[in-house]
Amino acid sequence: MIDYILEISFHPDLEELIHGRLFFTRSTGTVSTRDGALVAYFASSVDRDAAAAALSGLSIDLRPADQPRLDWLQLYQQSLQPLVVGRSFVIASDTSLIPPDTTRHRLVIPQEQAFGTGSHESTALTIELLERLDLRGRRGLDIGAGSGILALAMLRLGTRNVMAFDVDPEAFRALRENRTRNGVAPAQMPVFIGTIDALRGGRFDIVTMNILPEVIVALLPAVKRHLDRTLIASGILHVQREYVVEACGRQGLRLDDEAGKGEWWAGSFVIPSVSGSGP
């Protein structure tokens, strides 16, 4: 099989804008190169051409190329190790890799290209903030769910149900398969592909968004309409912290807790009228 790639060279000031535009394309993932360029992957040349059109008008250099597709699962399995995340989770690509005597919450998440497995700092930070909350009996929403790891973590921590969705059609298979792998009933974790507009109604005690900061900020007004208690925002560099905090403040959300790891930051925001009364 072939990966259709688009190598993008740009001035660092354009990085957030480029990531934001790529988020709304059919890119299956991106990788930063050592020389500061960005390589975006696509399943077809048509998707790649559409992404190039979405980036038109920017002062950037685009170089399309085709290359044999890497077997990401095989590469991952060459160095399999269970991940210990936060105070209470162990995550592995297969049940056999989890120590049988562990008392931690177990999550089985195989490696999927472009979808989270818990190894990235932004995912770990979100889980750590979730662990600090009392989620028992709550309703959760995971926006940009990818593999579903955060939705599954919320369920392990006691939420009664979590809705998970993503805009990438490729995420649908990962969400359903990981739900089954972890013994979660469909009614506990409904999944769909689409935007937050598809929710129409419904309110949630805890909402997670581990996506690009500019996408988080753009979605805040819609998220606020569905939020009853706590929003956790992650996927944010420390240098972008104030940008997100100020945007949340404009929506009436107060920073209640935060965590950092390396260059990454995540924040837990609450509606002041309910802060201290729930997650």
Side-chain angles (χ1 to χ4, degrees):
M1 299 181 69
I2 299 297
D3 271 322
Y4 299 88
I5 66 174
L6 192 63
E7 185 173 351
I8 310 163
S9 298
F10 53 90
H11 189 278
D13 290 346
L14 293 173
E15 183 172 6
E16 289 186 19
L17 179 59
I18 290 169
H19 277 290
R21 292 196 183 183
L22 284 174
F23 181 83
F24 294 102
T25 71
R26 294 177 65 86
S27 171
T28 59
T30 58
V31 175
S32 297
T33 66
R34 290 185 178 181
D35 60 3
L38 188 71
V39 177
Y41 290 80
F42 302 88
S44 71
S45 59
V46 173
D47 291 344
R48 181 181 60 195
D49 293 344
L55 295 170
S56 64
L58 301 178
S59 298
I60 58 177
D61 183 27
L62 299 177
R63 293 180 295 279
D66 301 344
Q67 66 180 29
R69 179 167 299 175
L70 294 174
D71 188 338
W72 297 96
L73 179 58
Q74 182 180 8
L75 291 174
Y76 176 75
Q77 288 175 334
Q78 291 173 358
S79 58
L80 288 175
Q81 291 292 335
L83 297 171
V84 174
V85 178
R87 299 192 308 261
S88 63
F89 282 88
V90 58
I91 304 167
S93 64
D94 189 86
T95 304
S96 64
L97 299 169
I98 299 177
D101 57 349
T102 185
T103 58
R104 288 176 169 262
H105 297 300
R106 307 175 183 210
L107 289 179
V108 179
I109 309 287
Q111 176 74 10
E112 298 278 357
Q113 186 181 1
F115 299 131
T117 60
S119 60
H120 196 277
E121 290 91 339
S122 64
T123 306
L125 288 172
T126 309
I127 290 175
E128 290 173 15
L129 290 174
L130 285 169
E131 288 177 320
R132 300 176 190 176
L133 305 174
D134 182 3
L135 299 182
R136 292 172 296 181
R138 305 298 188 186
R139 296 189 67 217
L141 175 67
D142 186 15
I143 299 173
S147 67
I149 186 171
L150 296 179
L152 292 165
M154 283 189 268
L155 289 167
R156 292 287 193 262
L157 291 170
T159 56
R160 70 175 184 265
N161 54 58
V162 180
M163 181 171 289
F165 72 92
D166 201 295
V167 297
D168 187 346
E170 294 297 322
F172 193 48
R173 177 180 60 84
L175 286 168
R176 290 181 300 170
E177 291 182 355
N178 287 330
R179 183 175 63 187
T180 300
R181 286 186 183 102
N182 289 277
V184 172
Q188 275 190 291
M189 183 178 154
V191 302
F192 71 90
I193 297 301
T195 68
I196 194 169
D197 295 333
L199 287 177
R200 304 198 177 207
R203 299 186 67 84
F204 302 87
D205 302 298
I206 174 73
V207 176
T208 55
M209 300 174 72
N210 181 20
I211 47 181
L212 297 171
E214 55 271 22
V215 179
I216 291 173
V217 169
L219 291 178
L220 281 174
V223 172
K224 178 72 179 298
R225 293 195 291 270
H226 297 279
L227 180 66
D228 269 345
R229 295 175 181 271
T230 304
L231 165 68
I232 295 179
S234 190
I236 303 159
L237 296 172
H238 276 288
V239 296
Q240 300 165 317
R241 175 187 181 277
E242 292 307 313
Y243 167 63
V244 175
V245 171
E246 291 175 3
C248 287
R250 291 194 294 271
Q251 297 298 322
L253 300 173
R254 178 176 58 83
L255 181 64
D256 187 59
D257 197 1
E258 58 188 309
K261 195 182 297 287
E263 63 181 346
W264 296 94
W265 177 88
S268 181
F269 297 86
V270 296
I271 301 172
S273 60
V274 299
S275 59
S277 63

